[in-house]
Amino acid sequence: MRLETKAIHAGLDVLKESKAVVPPLQTSTIFEHDKEGHKPGDLTYTRAQNPNRAQLEVLITDLEEGAATATFASGVAAAAAVFQALEPGNHVIMPQDVYHGNRLLIKQLMSRWGLQADYVDTTDLNKIEEAINKQTKLIWLETPSNPLLLVTDIPAVSELAGEHNISVCVDNTWPTPVNQLPLELGADLSLHSTTKYFGGHSDILGGAVVARREDSFFERIRSIQITAGAVPSPRDCWLLSRSIRTLPYRMRGHNENAMRVAKFLQGHANVERVFYPGLESDPGHEIARNQMSGFGGMVSFLYRGTREETIQAVGRSMLIMRATSLGGVESTWEHRRSSEGDDSTTPQNLVRISVGLEHPEDLLEDLAQALG
Ligand code: PLP
């Protein structure tokens, strides 16, 4: 099946007891045992497994062309499970401008647990190679990255990692499987904050880790999902599966609108620089063209002004909502440095836009009046 068809049909047979076209929501936390006791594979307790979660996991596995998926209560819970599946003392290579929540996770939690991390420019293969040591077990990629939209060559990094027996995990939240398939490009894991485009309506929190192989590393992630218990509720799984049905069409709209917005910003006198891999002038464009089928809905730009003037420009929007996060049908933007806090290295005049599905002309009119 092709992507659009899979988004609508994959996983439905997990709930085969029912003939309902729309899968039922199963909120029960417990499942009755047979008279003879329960057998391996039987449902017992919702933290261990639930029909709505099972369906969601099959659906995401199919979309990502993977072997198995573990879903979580948030994107950072998914990332935490990947880090905890390593051993204390292991070393990970992280992108310099990695999503700041994952940086905090390592700084505040995983470093106390004994995980070592180095932050490098992952767009430069030499920098990655220099950072590898005997304890390096994981290379984390975010491409395009948050918020600078830097593009990393997934096949090249995966090949290098393979030579050193290191796993590669790609945070695929921004592109989604509609625009990029990391596992086909050679990565071992593809991670999502399903809070973003998968949910698509800014009303569900969730995360997922998809594995290329059901190997021992993934088995550890699965066991952390169940034992640590940061699992999504059946209701959120049900809602997420519903939202994913329209993901391919929503992503096409996000891709088209973001390209219009990026081109508009590129020609604007009050914009110093635009970051969007869909622009031919973008340094990551060539690699993005090779590994992405669309360039996504996120655009960042540098406003020609101070921190205060940038915050004022964001404050003038009338249609684009001032909010963090991304991936909803509504357009949002933010002065990114304010969201990231004190240790952020994001430029003071950077604005990050999550381009939604409104009519593009309405978005451009709002940008024009806000930017002056
Ligand atoms: N990865 C990326 C690229 C993100 O942008 C985010 C959230 O903004 C996350 C992971 C974390 O996801 P969550 O907020 O669902 O924990």
Side-chain angles (χ1 to χ4, degrees), residues 38-69:
H38 65 85
K39 303 180 291 299
D42 280 356
L43 292 174
T44 56
Y45 186 49
T46 277
R47 174 156 51 74
Q49 193 48 292
N50 167 280
N52 294 104
R53 191 163 100 218
Q55 188 225 333
L56 174 66
E57 292 183 348
V58 170
L59 172 58
I60 296 178
T61 304
D62 270 20
L63 292 184
E64 285 276 342
E65 309 275 355
T69 296

Side-chain angles (χ1 to χ4, degrees), residues 303-315 335 348-351:
Y303 186 65
R304 201 177 293 285
T306 62
R307 172 191 166 94
E308 285 316 312
E309 287 163 343
T310 307
I311 292 172
Q312 281 161 15
V314 169
H335 175 252
Q348 290 285 9
N349 58 340
L350 185 134
V351 179

Side-chain angles (χ1 to χ4, degrees), residues 61-372:
T61 304
D62 270 20
L63 292 184
E64 285 276 342
E65 309 275 355
T69 296
T71 51
F72 291 87
S74 69
V76 288
V82 175
F83 296 136
Q84 286 171 346
L86 299 167
E87 297 292 331
N90 283 173
H91 172 250
V92 294
I93 296 176
M94 303 292 290
Q96 243 163 14
D97 72 329
V98 68
Y99 161 62
H100 83 290
N102 286 338
R103 186 188 285 268
L104 282 184
L105 183 60
I106 290 192
K107 191 172 153 196
Q108 296 182 358
L109 216 81
M110 298 311 302
S111 61
R112 283 170 54 206
W113 183 80
L115 196 72
Q116 315 288 320
D118 273 314
Y119 294 84
V120 307
D121 174 5
T122 55
T123 66
D124 183 341
L125 215 56
N126 293 327
K127 293 264 164 43
I128 297 184
E129 196 155 20
E130 280 165 21
I132 293 176
N133 67 44
K134 285 206 181 74
Q135 283 304 319
T136 309
K137 294 290 178 238
L138 180 72
I139 300 175
W140 190 276
L141 300 181
E142 210 183 275
T143 174
S145 68
N146 176 4
L148 293 178
L149 289 117
L150 302 177
V151 177
T152 295
D153 189 331
I154 299 175
V157 175
S158 301
E159 200 182 317
L160 173 70
E163 288 163 14
H164 294 267
N165 214 10
I166 297 170
S167 301
V168 174
C169 177
V170 177
D171 185 333
N172 206 34
T173 300
W174 281 27
T176 81
V178 180
N179 287 333
Q180 182 169 275
L181 289 167
L183 307 180
E184 281 209 331
L185 293 164
D188 301 282
L189 299 174
S190 177
L191 178 132
H192 284 276
S193 163
T194 55
T195 314
K196 319 298 178 190
Y197 291 105
F198 274 28
H201 297 74
S202 310
D203 56 7
I204 316 166
L205 203 64
V209 182
V210 193
R212 186 149 60 102
R213 290 177 305 270
E214 258 186 292
D215 55 12
S216 57
F217 190 37
F218 181 75
E219 284 311 317
R220 286 200 295 281
I221 294 170
R222 170 73 79 204
S223 108
I224 291 162
Q225 176 201 34
I226 296 167
T227 7
V231 292
S233 72
R235 189 176 298 277
D236 279 353
C237 293
W238 180 87
L239 198 53
L240 204 47
S241 301
R242 201 274 302 264
S243 293
I244 290 174
R245 293 178 138 195
T246 55
L247 177 72
Y249 289 91
R250 283 189 282 110
M251 284 318 293
R252 276 181 217 161
H254 288 295
N255 290 344
E256 280 172 26
N257 278 2
M259 186 67 100
R260 288 285 303 274
V261 165
K263 286 189 172 155
F264 169 83
L265 291 171
Q266 206 177 27
H268 198 286
N270 287 344
V271 172
E272 257 175 36
R273 183 174 167 191
V274 182
F275 304 89
Y276 187 65
L279 295 174
E280 279 174 26
S281 57
D282 190 276
H285 181 68
E286 277 311 307
I287 295 173
R289 262 191 22 191
N290 288 338
Q291 64 189 24
M292 300 182 81
S293 52
F295 301 107
M298 298 301 295
V299 180
S300 292
F301 69 93
L302 300 181
Y303 186 65
R304 201 177 293 285
T306 62
R307 172 191 166 94
E308 285 316 312
E309 287 163 343
T310 307
I311 292 172
Q312 281 161 15
V314 169
R316 284 194 291 268
S317 65
M318 293 164 76
L319 173 66
I320 302 173
M321 301 178 87
R322 292 172 293 280
T324 193
S325 197
L326 57 120
V329 291
E330 65 288 321
S331 292
T332 54
W333 67 350
E334 66 173 337
H335 175 252
R336 186 63 191 160
R337 179 89 177 229
S338 303
S339 288
E340 292 183 346
D342 294 343
D343 58 353
S344 165
T345 53
T346 295
Q348 290 285 9
N349 58 340
L350 185 134
V351 179
R352 196 188 77 176
I353 319 180
S354 170
V355 182
L357 300 179
E358 299 91 344
H359 195 286
E361 294 300 332
D362 291 332
L363 291 176
L364 301 191
E365 280 171 20
D366 194 31
L367 284 170
Q369 68 78 25
L371 299 180

